[in-house]
Amino acid sequence: MCAADYPKVAIVSMNPIRGDQCNGMLMKSLFQGWPREQLAQIYFPNIVNWLPDAAICGDYRTIRPWGKVRCVSIPASEVQQSSTSHSYRSTQSSSFLRRTVASITRRQGLMNWLRPCAELWSANFPLGRILERQLRELQPDCVYALLGNYQLTKTVYLACSRLNLPLFTHVSDDFVTAQYGGMHFAASLQSLSQRWVQRAVEYSSGLAAISPIMAEEFSNRYGKKWTWYTTGIGPSEYKTSPRQPDGTIRLVYSGNLGLERWQTLRALALALELLSKSCSIQLRLAIYAPESQLSAYQAALNVPPIVELSGWKHPADLPRVFHESDILVHVESCNPTIAAYTRLSFSTKLSQYMMAGRCLLAVGPNEAGSMRMVSRVGAGVVTDEMEPSALAKAIEPIIRDHTQRQAFADRGREWA
């Protein structure tokens, strides 16, 4: 196919396409190989204005909460470079601002005021008209929107419906029913979210969720057929051969520590400490996370010699990291408010874990979407035990049995 055979698509989301962020990775995998000149992205950054991946789209535009529009200028030379170096530089340049934002987001009382106020402001500021003008300039054949809150849903729906543009809606978390729990103005935001999502769904030409579990739920909830797309992971990047044995069972966690995941990781570390002593097995849990988060939770996660705290790794380096593991760890928070938000989600990381050909250990609420997918695929052990001795008992079989670990790993790889 030549470039002209591809429809021109305008991608609308909260964040830019980047290979080092969850939703950015999702969009990048969906549009990889699409002609750059047939893609444009419009995104709505909140505080940190991340630079996008230069190689995917030919046109990037940001719309700030106060309505300012900025075209993101990327030199032609950047397109020829690895997106890895480009993304890494932009991450480094905004590290101070990101640390500041991370500090604010950990103050739950403050966030319960800031988030609803910011969203109500953005939803009632005429961003829909501003987006409409940008889409009129771009003249796309259709709009792909990765929706994540009420404000973005309303803005995209109004712009597309006024221009009579086809809309393809994609959702990765159940923000519709669970994003506003515990916040001020929660009832109003909940009602507005449901109202505008229903309008967007009815208008959309296509609908996709992040997992089959979410697609089934949304098809029943909204009365229209939903398909699903998750992040595509190339199999050739991952070596599935066993790592060189060294007398130690190595577990690896890679990801964020927020949303109270650090608490689950601490429970796991304490369980591994108990197992190591009772079974006389050397166990190590390597945690790869952003440096700012490691610093914030270092005291809680410091369980020597079990835990090894490592810095953030670019996705390009993860296949090697995963190959040097025996078990890959996924954790979810047991906080009811957070669990409700992720109960239909499917973590980007799980596709990478499964493609790596390693047994998965998933710790958290059994009803969480990621946990249910690990169980459905048969890719590893799922447990909601959070008390260290009970958790140790639940995971002891896969610590002892290499054959069982390999069976889980093979099923996960086949699904991925």
Side-chain angles (χ1 to χ4, degrees):
M1 292 176 66
C2 64
D5 293 326
Y6 288 80
K8 185 173 184 180
V9 178
I11 303 165
V12 183
S13 67
M14 297 300 296
N15 296 307
I17 296 174
R18 285 171 59 94
D20 57 355
Q21 296 173 343
C22 293
N23 284 340
M25 290 175 62
L26 170 62
M27 292 183 286
K28 183 175 180 178
S29 73
L30 288 177
F31 291 101
Q32 192 77 44
W34 206 278
R36 285 182 76 249
E37 61 270 27
Q38 294 298 96
L39 289 177
Q41 189 188 16
I42 303 171
Y43 58 99
F44 294 78
N46 290 320
I47 300 176
V48 178
N49 192 4
W50 300 92
L51 286 177
D53 189 312
I56 301 299
C57 290
D59 192 334
Y60 285 101
R61 304 178 184 201
T62 66
I63 302 178
R64 302 312 298 258
W66 50 90
K68 182 178 180 180
V69 178
R70 185 170 74 92
C71 294
V72 180
S73 177
I74 301 174
S77 59
E78 291 282 359
V79 178
Q80 306 303 321
Q81 296 176 11
S82 163
S83 60
T84 299
S85 62
H86 179 76
S87 296
Y88 181 73
R89 286 200 306 276
S90 62
T91 300
Q92 291 295 92
S93 64
S94 61
S95 59
F96 173 76
L97 184 54
R98 288 188 295 111
R99 287 197 299 270
T100 303
V101 172
S103 176
I104 293 173
T105 57
R106 286 196 292 271
R107 300 171 63 182
Q108 192 60 47
L110 179 60
M111 289 301 297
N112 285 344
W113 278 107
L114 286 178
R115 284 189 58 197
C117 288
E119 192 157 342
L120 286 167
W121 160 266
S122 297
N124 290 285
F125 195 80
L127 293 181
R129 291 294 185 186
I130 296 170
L131 175 60
E132 185 180 339
R133 288 198 294 271
Q134 299 305 308
L135 291 174
R136 190 180 288 112
E137 287 182 16
L138 290 169
Q139 297 186 322
D141 297 304
C142 60
V143 172
Y144 163 91
L146 184 61
L147 301 180
N149 61 18
Y150 137 64
Q151 169 259 311
L152 183 64
T153 303
K154 177 181 177 180
T155 300
V156 171
Y157 164 72
L158 288 175
C160 290
S161 60
R162 287 167 181 158
L163 295 173
N164 198 29
L165 274 173
L167 171 63
F168 188 95
T169 292
H170 199 175
V171 178
S172 60
D173 291 296
D174 192 11
F175 73 91
V176 187
T177 63
Q179 180 157 337
Y180 307 107
M183 292 184 190
H184 299 286
F185 318 120
S188 297
L189 285 166
Q190 182 69 52
S191 176
L192 288 167
S193 180
Q194 291 174 330
R195 182 190 313 167
W196 287 101
V197 168
Q198 188 67 56
R199 292 179 182 178
V201 167
E202 291 171 359
Y203 178 81
S204 295
S205 303
L207 299 162
I210 196 66
S211 74
I213 289 173
M214 183 182 284
E216 293 159 10
E217 170 81 12
F218 282 7
S219 294
N220 292 330
R221 183 189 298 177
Y222 297 109
K224 288 183 72 173
K225 179 67 175 177
W226 288 64
T227 186
W228 64 276
Y229 298 107
T230 191
T231 306
I233 306 296
S236 61
E237 300 173 15
Y238 292 84
K239 293 194 301 181
T240 59
S241 58
R243 72 177 186 87
Q244 194 68 28
D246 59 2
T248 301
I249 302 296
R250 298 191 177 275
L251 297 86
V252 167
Y253 172 81
S254 174
N256 287 313
L257 305 179
L259 297 179
E260 299 186 6
R261 293 186 179 99
W262 66 271
Q263 294 183 350
T264 309
L265 285 169
R266 174 171 171 78
L268 175 59
L270 294 173
L272 293 174
E273 184 181 41
L274 292 174
L275 270 178
S276 184
K277 293 175 181 176
S278 63
C279 301
S280 299
I281 300 174
Q282 284 198 41
L283 299 169
R284 295 292 183 269
L285 170 61
I287 298 175
Y288 293 86
E291 284 81 357
S292 59
Q293 295 182 2
L294 290 174
S295 176
Y297 303 116
Q298 182 175 7
L301 294 173
N302 186 25
V303 183
I306 301 297
V307 174
E308 300 170 351
L309 298 179
S310 302
W312 179 86
K313 289 290 185 181
H314 192 277
D317 299 323
L318 291 178
R320 177 185 55 79
V321 170
F322 295 163
H323 184 261
E324 294 304 314
S325 71
D326 299 292
I327 298 171
L328 294 171
V329 175
H330 177 74
V331 297
E332 297 279 358
S333 170
C334 287
N335 181 305
T337 300
I338 297 171
Y341 183 65
T342 59
R343 73 179 188 88
L344 300 174
S345 306
F346 181 67
S347 172
T348 298
K349 179 173 62 223
L350 290 178
S351 295
Q352 298 170 292
Y353 276 7
M354 292 184 195
M355 195 62 81
R358 293 294 185 264
C359 171
L360 272 60
L361 170 59
V363 185
N366 288 330
E367 64 271 16
S370 291
M371 315 290 281
R372 291 157 64 190
M373 280 301 298
V374 173
S375 292
R376 181 183 288 198
V377 172
V381 169
V382 175
T383 177
D384 61 355
E385 297 287 358
M386 298 297 289
E387 194 279 319
S389 60
L391 179 53
K393 185 176 180 180
I395 65 179
E396 183 176 350
I398 61 164
I399 294 295
R400 290 185 175 276
D401 191 342
H402 168 77
T403 301
Q404 187 180 22
R405 292 201 302 270
Q406 190 59 51
F408 284 132
D410 291 343
R411 286 194 290 270
R413 168 79 177 189
E414 181 180 0
W415 185 86

